[in-house]
C-alpha cells in the first residue's frame, strides 16, 4: 500500500507478481495404490468411527467396500481398528475404532438428547448408510420432492439418534418422520428453535407441515408456543 500509489502514478503496471519456483522439486510422484487405499480407509474410520459397506458406498469410493477390505484388514492386524457386527441390519463385515465401539456400548436406550444436524453431515447417516424411516400412515404416492433427502441447506432433528423432524432446504416446510402423537416431537421442535435462535441456523418461514398448510394445523399452536411469529400464511422464526 505504501508504494502502490507511486507506481500507479508512474504508469508502471506489474504484469507478474509474487515468488516463483520450479515445480519439479515440489510435486512428488503419486503414492502406490495400496497406500492410497489405506489412507482412504483411515480417513473413513476417523470420519465415521464405524465403517460399513453402506458407508463406503455413500462416500462414493471407487471400487466400493471390496476395494478397501484388504486395507481395513491390515489396520485390524495393526490394532488400529476392530472387525465385528456392531450395527444390526447392516453388512456383516464392519470395522470400527475402539473408542467408537465403547461409545456405542455406553449409549443408553432411554437417551432423549435432541440434535440438529445438516442433512449432508457425515454424522447424519440417514439417506446414506441408513434408510429414511417410513411412517405407518405415509401415503405410498408421496412426491419425490416431498421425501427427505441429503441436500445442502436441509436439516434433520434427531432425538436419541433417531430422526424425528426434517427441515426442507427452503426453510418453508417441515416433515415429521415419526408416527402422529410421538412424544419426541415437542423436544425436537425445542431443539430446532434453540438452533435458529442461537444463530446456528437460518431464518425459518414455515408454510407447511407434512405437505399441509401449517396455519390451522395441529402444529400451529405448538410452534407459536415456542416463539414462532404468526402471519397470514406462515410462521416465522429468526435469531
Amino acid at each position: 500500500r505504501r508504494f502502490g500509489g507511486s507506481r500507479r502514478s508512474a504508469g508502471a503496471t506489474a504484469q507478474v507478481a509474487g515468488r516463483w519456483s520450479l515445480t519439479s522439486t515440489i510435486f512428488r510422484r503419486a503414492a502406490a495404490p495400496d497406500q492410497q487405499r489405506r489412507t482412504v480407509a483411515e480417513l473413513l474410520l476417523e470420519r465415521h468411527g464405524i465403517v460399513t459397506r453402506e458407508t463406503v458406498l455413500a462416500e462414493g469410493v471407487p471400487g466400493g467396500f471390496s476395494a478397501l477390505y484388504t486395507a481395513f484388514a491390515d489396520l485390524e492386524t495393526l490394532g488400529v481398528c476392530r472387525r465385528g457386527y456392531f450395527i444390526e441390519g447392516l453388512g456383516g463385515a464392519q470395522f470400527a475404532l475402539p473408542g467408537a465401539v465403547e461409545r456405542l456400548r455406553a449409549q443408553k436406550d432411554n437417551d432423549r438428547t435432541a440434535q440438529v444436524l445438516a442433512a449432508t453431515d457425515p454424522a447424519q447417516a440417514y439417506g446414506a448408510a441408513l434408510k429414511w424411516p417410513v411412517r405407518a400412515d405415509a401415503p405410498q404416492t408421496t412426491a419425490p420432492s416431498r421425501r427427505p433427502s441429503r441436500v445442502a441447506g436441509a436439516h434433520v432433528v434427531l432425538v436419541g439418534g433417531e430422526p424425528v423432524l426434517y427441515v426442507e432446504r427452503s426453510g418453508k416446510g417441515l416433515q415429521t418422520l415419526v408416527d402422529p402423537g410421538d412424544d419426541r416431537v415437542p423436544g425436537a421442535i425445542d431443539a430446532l428453535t434453540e438452533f435458529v435462535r442461537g444463530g446456528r441456523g437460518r431464518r425459518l418461514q414455515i408454510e407447511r407441515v407434512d405437505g399441509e398448510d401449517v396455519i390451522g394445523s395441529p402444529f400451529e399452536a405448538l410452534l407459536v408456543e415456542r416463539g414462532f411469529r404468526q402471519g397470514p400464511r406462515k410462521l416465522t422464526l429468526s435469531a
Side-chain angles (χ1 to χ4, degrees):
R1 292 180 180 177
R2 181 177 299 176
F3 303 106
S6 61
R7 285 200 300 269
R8 285 194 297 270
S9 62
T13 303
Q15 299 297 327
V16 179
R19 300 178 64 182
W20 293 77
S21 63
L22 296 176
T23 61
S24 58
T25 58
I26 298 177
F27 297 105
R28 300 177 180 178
R29 62 182 181 179
D34 59 334
Q35 294 177 332
Q36 294 180 7
R37 289 191 290 268
R38 177 168 171 173
T39 299
V40 173
E42 292 175 345
L43 289 173
L44 291 178
L45 284 169
E46 290 292 338
R47 176 178 295 178
H48 297 281
I50 299 176
V51 179
T52 67
R53 182 182 302 274
E54 292 78 5
T55 302
V56 177
L57 292 175
E59 290 282 359
V61 176
F65 188 73
S66 59
L68 299 180
Y69 187 86
T70 302
F72 283 122
D74 291 342
L75 291 173
E76 179 192 14
T77 302
L78 295 173
V80 175
C81 66
R82 300 177 183 176
R83 178 178 359 199
Y85 187 60
F86 308 109
I87 304 177
E88 184 179 359
L90 300 183
Q94 303 175 17
F95 294 89
L97 294 176
V101 176
E102 298 306 321
R103 291 184 64 182
L104 191 64
R105 289 174 176 169
Q107 184 74 22
K108 299 179 180 179
D109 294 336
N110 60 351
D111 182 19
R112 309 285 283 189
T113 303
Q115 294 179 311
V116 183
L117 295 177
T120 55
D121 194 315
Q124 199 292 106
Y126 290 90
L130 302 175
K131 295 181 179 179
W132 293 106
V134 179
R135 288 173 41 177
D137 63 335
Q140 299 298 322
T141 57
T142 303
S145 60
R146 288 286 179 263
R147 297 172 185 168
S149 59
R150 296 175 64 88
V151 295
H155 289 81
V156 182
V157 186
L158 300 101
V159 178
E162 297 184 7
V164 175
L165 290 178
Y166 176 82
V167 186
E168 298 175 5
R169 62 179 175 181
S170 63
K172 297 180 180 180
L174 280 180
Q175 296 182 39
T176 55
L177 306 177
V178 293
D179 294 335
D182 193 297
D183 61 357
R184 293 173 293 180
V185 172
I189 294 178
D190 288 338
L192 180 61
T193 302
E194 182 180 349
F195 180 75
V196 175
R197 284 184 167 175
R200 292 176 292 159
R202 62 179 181 177
R203 181 184 185 188
L204 297 178
Q205 301 182 74
I206 304 299
E207 297 180 0
R208 56 188 178 275
V209 178
D210 294 332
E212 303 294 334
D213 292 340
V214 65
I215 301 300
S217 74
F219 284 90
E220 181 180 5
L222 191 61
L223 294 172
V224 171
E225 286 178 2
R226 282 152 177 81
F228 280 77
R229 299 194 308 273
Q230 287 180 300
R233 299 179 58 185
K234 59 188 175 184
L235 302 178
T236 305
L237 179 70
S238 57

